[in-house]
Amino acid sequence: MLREHGPVSRPRTGRNRSGQARQAILDAALTLALQQGGAPTVDDLAASAGVGKQTIYRWWPSKWAVVLDALLDVADREVHIGGSNPLQQDLERFLASTFTAIARPGGTGPLLRALMAQAQLDAEFAVLWRERFIAPRRRALVALLDSARANGTAPAQLDAELSADMLLGAMWYRLLVGHAPLDTTLAQQLARSAVT
Amino acid sequence: MLREHGPVSRPRTGRNRSGQARQAILDAALTLALQQGGAPTVDDLAASAGVGKQTIYRWWPSKWAVVLDALLDVADREVHIGGSNPLQQDLERFLASTFTAIARPGGTGPLLRALMAQAQLDAEFAVLWRERFIAPRRRALVALLDSARANGTAPAQLDAELSADMLLGAMWYRLLVGHAPLDTTLAQQLARSAVT
Amino acid sequence: MLREHGPVSRPRTGRNRSGQARQAILDAALTLALQQGGAPTVDDLAASAGVGKQTIYRWWPSKWAVVLDALLDVADREVHIGGSNPLQQDLERFLASTFTAIARPGGTGPLLRALMAQAQLDAEFAVLWRERFIAPRRRALVALLDSARANGTAPAQLDAELSADMLLGAMWYRLLVGHAPLDTTLAQQLARSAVT
Amino acid sequence: MLREHGPVSRPRTGRNRSGQARQAILDAALTLALQQGGAPTVDDLAASAGVGKQTIYRWWPSKWAVVLDALLDVADREVHIGGSNPLQQDLERFLASTFTAIARPGGTGPLLRALMAQAQLDAEFAVLWRERFIAPRRRALVALLDSARANGTAPAQLDAELSADMLLGAMWYRLLVGHAPLDTTLAQQLARSAVT
DNA sequence: ATCTAAACGAGACGGTACGTCAGGTCTTGGT
DNA sequence: ACCAAGACCTGACGTACCGTCTCGTTTAGAT
């Protein structure tokens, strides 16, 4: 949902937004997007949600924003953030759970690839993508690294920003290029490399 | 150009003109692609090259393959591979020259983003992209890292494959997300992190 | 206003119909319709009248019915029916005044064309159009012709129904096709042709 | 076919217009239009003709122009023009054959109504309609009336233009209003009225 | 003075059709 | 034989209106 109104300026009248339609759209978007590994056509999305196209365009600037919203509703369900254990352990768990959510059958991998691709082609969506998906996850990782340095389980000279880019970069690079899998082995290797 | 003809078996008349068309297509592709930061429409490309659309599809499977070819013609012109100096020095030069070619005004950054995006949406192009662009560059970096380990300027336990993914991953991650620039500072940081 | 209630069966409660809204709708309809030479969109009509769309659909079956009502409010203001003079004179006056109301700048011509057009596309509206606009005017003309035959100022063998169709037909044909103006010359010619 | 090129200015290259597609479009247009008594949707028309929508918009400014072209291909097949017999006889035959083509089951009546309606709503189409359909038919009738006056089977003072408007006007008025049928009785009455 | 019910402005909703854009294929006539 | 020009089919897009369906508010007769 993008058109959030601030504190009510004018007494709203008129029919309220249909939560039913909103949810049907998000559900259909997620289902179709996971099935196809990309955004469905707007017509398919509307038809599958039992909704008029205008209702989609009324609330989202593009179908990609819908898919992003749908994704955000389910993302992080399975991701382990941690923060109180030795860094290598927390990091490995974080990465492993992330990789699993992405790479398992029916996982979000194809969807993430399509969304990252769309962010390259559509500057307007790029903003949403960066601010609502990429940045929060990167911030969480940076925070994890910083707190580890503070409690001594990470080297003092560790640069959290740089490490985050290398860790997430390796993940995305593998996901986008596909030359090697995102598996637990990789999670271990990355976690170990971060603490040395 | 993908349908490379073997050594010319029979003297051909139209060949001269064809080579002319091929170059016009590549030139137009590069010019338009750099201008727009993405692939032009096929009609625009053909018109701008003074060529029929069919002539494009006769030699390339899609306009993206054209753009890739055009990119390969100019890529690496400015990239410093090295190999005989201490790793940190070679690596920093390699990364810095790469980043410059990408991030300078009129650089290939927007083009790389668009091609990486397209590789996510088009499985056929993904193969070309991986084999003709991504893999060679990754191989060069892995070779550099391996040789450095051999001559002792890199730690013995360095995992070249993993390091390559982290280094290139960081680069692509920044390029695709755009949260921070690809500059010489980053090159230094990455080079230093690789030798520790 | 179409939904006339019969004798009150049950004691009515609830807010009364707003005469203000009704008039605002008719005014807006007439203004916009004359401006644009056709029916405005329902949204425009409602907005321009400061009214909800439902208020329109509560009282009229379609926007066309609104425009028809608006037209009936102003039609015949300037039309001279006559009946006591020689047919040619009465007829000429009737036709001339009708033509003027239609063809003068800001006249109802464009509106009549649009309504006749809509009657072809919408069977439900066709009934309204025929019964509330077309038929009364045709009846008036037939009555005029019949009374003229009775008082001897028209030929005894004159077929009033046929003549009415020819006179009104010529008018509508010129209005709809636009190959020649609806002017006083035409009124004279038609009036003369009717009495021979 | 609307985009007639003048005398060839530049040697034409490129694929020629597909006569097959053109005919398929016209056939589908006629079939669907007669079935539905109006223009089909552009999607239906394209699908039914096995053609892309763009192919329709490439050659006709609107679907209505297509339907008009389709109608012109079949119009006049059954209309008897005459010209060498007494006016009343020629006229009656002309009108009767016209009425039959319009009013018989599966006739062009509904289509003519829809086209006349569209001409009221779409100024661009109105030009086509007037010039390619209405005017030629009116000219034929005027010529018939004029020649009859010349050979003495029509009154000397007959005004061919006015009579044409009254005859065709009566026809269109009945067709558009629908208060009475277009039958042979009407043809007789109109023919008789023209010669008195 | 309350209650009930209808009409009201507002505006979101499901739908239909529109006209446009781009991709990749096919066909013609000129060189 | 090759090629420019360009017509073709396909499929998706985003927009314009339509007529219906809520909202919460206002108004007026019945209790």
Side-chain angles (χ1 to χ4, degrees):
Chain A
M1 148 191 40
L2 299 168
R3 239 177 56 185
E4 295 296 347
H5 293 279
V8 180
S9 54
R10 187 173 51 84
R12 277 247 318 118
T13 69
R15 182 175 180 173
N16 288 345
R17 176 173 185 184
S18 158
Q20 200 176 326
R22 179 182 176 278
Q23 201 54 51
I25 291 167
L26 291 176
D27 289 350
L30 192 62
T31 304
L32 293 175
L34 287 177
Q35 250 169 41
Q36 308 172 197
T41 72
V42 181
D43 286 282
D44 283 357
L45 176 55
S48 163
V51 140
K53 280 206 282 181
Q54 212 51 271
T55 300
I56 296 176
Y57 284 112
R58 195 168 6 246
W59 299 108
W60 289 275
S62 71
K63 63 177 175 175
W64 296 100
V66 180
V67 175
L68 174 57
D69 264 9
L71 174 63
L72 289 172
D73 271 5
V74 299
D76 296 337
R77 290 238 199 294
E78 312 169 25
V79 172
H80 190 286
I81 298 281
S84 49
N85 305 306
L87 175 59
Q88 186 171 352
Q89 189 179 325
D90 271 352
L91 194 52
E92 190 182 325
R93 276 198 202 156
F94 170 77
L95 293 172
S97 59
T98 301
F99 293 177
T100 301
I102 292 172
R104 70 158 200 278
T108 54
L111 200 42
L112 293 180
R113 292 177 61 201
L115 288 167
M116 180 61 100
Q118 188 56 25
Q120 310 309 311
L121 306 175
D122 173 349
E124 207 168 341
F125 175 68
V127 176
L128 293 180
W129 174 240
R130 182 166 51 243
E131 295 184 354
R132 322 240 343 270
F133 188 90
I134 294 292
R137 278 148 190 79
R138 187 172 176 281
R139 269 199 301 272
L141 180 54
V142 168
L144 179 63
L145 294 168
D146 273 334
S147 78
R149 204 181 39 189
N151 68 27
T153 66
Q157 82 282 6
L158 177 139
D159 181 334
E161 299 279 342
L162 182 68
S163 291
D165 283 354
M166 292 181 79
L167 294 169
L168 293 171
M171 179 189 91
W172 276 104
Y173 185 67
R174 284 219 181 172
L175 180 60
L176 297 177
V177 172
H179 58 295
L182 289 178
D183 52 20
T184 52
T185 305
L186 178 62
Q188 287 169 10
Q189 292 175 315
L190 288 174
R192 189 176 332 120
S193 89
V195 297
T196 53
Chain B
M1 178 174 31
L2 298 167
R3 244 176 56 185
E4 295 296 347
H5 295 277
V8 180
S9 53
R10 195 162 45 84
R12 307 230 303 176
T13 44
R15 191 54 197 245
N16 191 19
R17 198 165 178 194
S18 160
Q20 211 173 311
R22 178 179 179 279
Q23 199 54 50
I25 291 168
L26 290 175
D27 289 351
L30 193 62
T31 305
L32 293 175
L34 288 177
Q35 249 170 40
Q36 308 172 199
T41 71
V42 182
D43 288 278
D44 283 357
L45 176 55
S48 162
V51 137
K53 283 206 284 179
Q54 197 53 254
T55 302
I56 296 175
Y57 285 108
R58 207 184 334 266
W59 301 109
W60 288 275
S62 74
K63 65 173 175 176
W64 296 101
V66 179
V67 176
L68 174 57
D69 264 9
L71 173 65
L72 289 172
D73 271 6
V74 299
D76 295 336
R77 287 235 202 299
E78 314 168 25
V79 173
H80 191 286
I81 298 281
S84 48
N85 305 304
L87 176 59
Q88 185 171 353
Q89 190 178 327
D90 272 353
L91 194 53
E92 188 181 326
R93 278 199 204 156
F94 170 77
L95 292 172
S97 58
T98 300
F99 292 178
T100 302
I102 292 172
R104 69 158 202 277
T108 53
L111 205 42
L112 293 179
R113 294 177 62 202
L115 288 166
M116 181 61 102
Q118 189 56 25
Q120 310 309 310
L121 307 174
D122 173 350
E124 205 168 341
F125 175 68
V127 175
L128 291 181
W129 174 240
R130 183 165 51 241
E131 296 183 353
R132 319 234 356 257
F133 188 91
I134 294 291
R137 278 150 190 78
R138 186 171 178 281
R139 268 199 302 271
L141 180 55
V142 169
L144 180 64
L145 295 168
D146 272 334
S147 77
R149 202 181 39 189
N151 67 28
T153 65
Q157 83 282 8
L158 177 141
D159 181 335
E161 300 279 341
L162 181 68
S163 291
D165 283 352
M166 292 182 77
L167 294 168
L168 294 172
M171 179 190 91
W172 276 103
Y173 185 67
R174 284 220 183 172
L175 180 59
L176 296 177
V177 172
H179 60 293
L182 288 178
D183 53 18
T184 53
T185 305
L186 179 61
Q188 286 168 11
Q189 291 175 314
L190 289 175
R192 191 178 326 121
S193 89
V195 298
T196 53
Chain C
M1 155 188 36
L2 297 167
R3 237 178 56 185
E4 295 298 347
H5 294 279
V8 181
S9 54
R10 188 170 50 83
R12 275 233 331 109
T13 70
R15 184 175 179 173
N16 287 346
R17 176 173 185 184
S18 158
Q20 201 176 325
R22 178 182 177 277
Q23 201 53 51
I25 291 168
L26 291 174
D27 290 351
L30 193 61
T31 305
L32 293 174
L34 288 178
Q35 250 170 40
Q36 308 172 198
T41 71
V42 182
D43 288 279
D44 283 356
L45 176 54
S48 163
V51 139
K53 283 205 287 178
Q54 199 55 256
T55 301
I56 296 175
Y57 285 108
R58 194 167 6 245
W59 301 108
W60 289 275
S62 72
K63 66 175 173 175
W64 298 99
V66 179
V67 175
L68 174 56
D69 264 9
L71 173 64
L72 289 172
D73 271 5
V74 298
D76 296 336
R77 289 238 199 297
E78 312 168 27
V79 173
H80 190 285
I81 298 282
S84 48
N85 305 305
L87 175 59
Q88 187 172 350
Q89 191 179 323
D90 272 351
L91 195 51
E92 189 181 325
R93 278 200 201 155
F94 170 77
L95 293 172
S97 59
T98 300
F99 292 177
T100 301
I102 291 172
R104 70 157 202 279
T108 54
L111 206 41
L112 293 180
R113 293 176 60 202
L115 288 167
M116 181 61 100
Q118 189 55 26
Q120 309 309 310
L121 306 175
D122 173 350
E124 206 167 340
F125 175 67
V127 175
L128 291 181
W129 174 240
R130 184 165 51 242
E131 295 183 354
R132 319 232 358 255
F133 188 90
I134 294 291
R137 277 148 192 81
R138 187 171 177 280
R139 269 198 302 272
L141 181 53
V142 169
L144 179 63
L145 294 169
D146 273 335
S147 79
R149 204 181 37 189
N151 68 27
T153 65
Q157 83 282 6
L158 177 140
D159 181 334
E161 300 279 341
L162 181 68
S163 291
D165 284 353
M166 292 181 78
L167 294 169
L168 293 172
M171 180 189 90
W172 276 103
Y173 185 67
R174 284 219 183 174
L175 179 60
L176 297 176
V177 172
H179 60 294
L182 288 178
D183 53 18
T184 52
T185 306
L186 179 62
Q188 286 170 10
Q189 291 175 314
L190 288 173
R192 190 177 329 123
S193 88
V195 298
T196 53
Chain D
M1 134 199 46
L2 297 168
R3 235 176 57 184
E4 295 296 347
H5 294 279
V8 181
S9 55
R10 187 171 52 81
R12 277 244 320 115
T13 70
R15 182 175 179 171
N16 287 346
R17 177 172 185 185
S18 157
Q20 200 176 323
R22 178 181 176 278
Q23 201 54 51
I25 291 168
L26 291 175
D27 288 352
L30 192 62
T31 305
L32 293 175
L34 287 178
Q35 250 169 42
Q36 308 172 198
T41 72
V42 182
D43 286 281
D44 283 357
L45 177 55
S48 162
V51 140
K53 280 205 283 182
Q54 209 52 271
T55 299
I56 295 175
Y57 284 111
R58 191 166 13 245
W59 300 108
W60 289 276
S62 72
K63 64 177 174 176
W64 297 99
V66 179
V67 174
L68 174 57
D69 264 9
L71 175 63
L72 289 172
D73 271 5
V74 298
D76 296 338
R77 288 237 200 297
E78 313 170 25
V79 172
H80 190 286
I81 299 282
S84 49
N85 305 305
L87 176 59
Q88 186 171 352
Q89 189 179 327
D90 271 351
L91 195 52
E92 189 181 326
R93 278 200 203 156
F94 170 77
L95 293 172
S97 59
T98 300
F99 292 178
T100 302
I102 291 172
R104 71 157 200 279
T108 54
L111 199 42
L112 293 181
R113 294 177 61 202
L115 287 167
M116 180 62 100
Q118 189 55 25
Q120 309 309 310
L121 306 175
D122 174 350
E124 205 168 342
F125 176 67
V127 176
L128 293 180
W129 174 241
R130 182 166 51 243
E131 295 184 354
R132 319 239 285 114
F133 188 90
I134 294 292
R137 277 147 191 80
R138 186 172 178 278
R139 269 199 301 272
L141 181 54
V142 169
L144 179 64
L145 294 168
D146 273 333
S147 77
R149 203 181 38 189
N151 68 27
T153 64
Q157 83 281 5
L158 177 140
D159 181 335
E161 301 278 341
L162 182 67
S163 292
D165 283 353
M166 293 181 77
L167 294 169
L168 293 171
M171 178 190 93
W172 276 104
Y173 186 67
R174 285 221 182 171
L175 180 60
L176 297 176
V177 172
H179 59 293
L182 288 179
D183 53 16
T184 52
T185 305
L186 179 61
Q188 286 169 11
Q189 291 175 313
L190 289 174
R192 190 177 330 120
S193 90
V195 297
T196 53

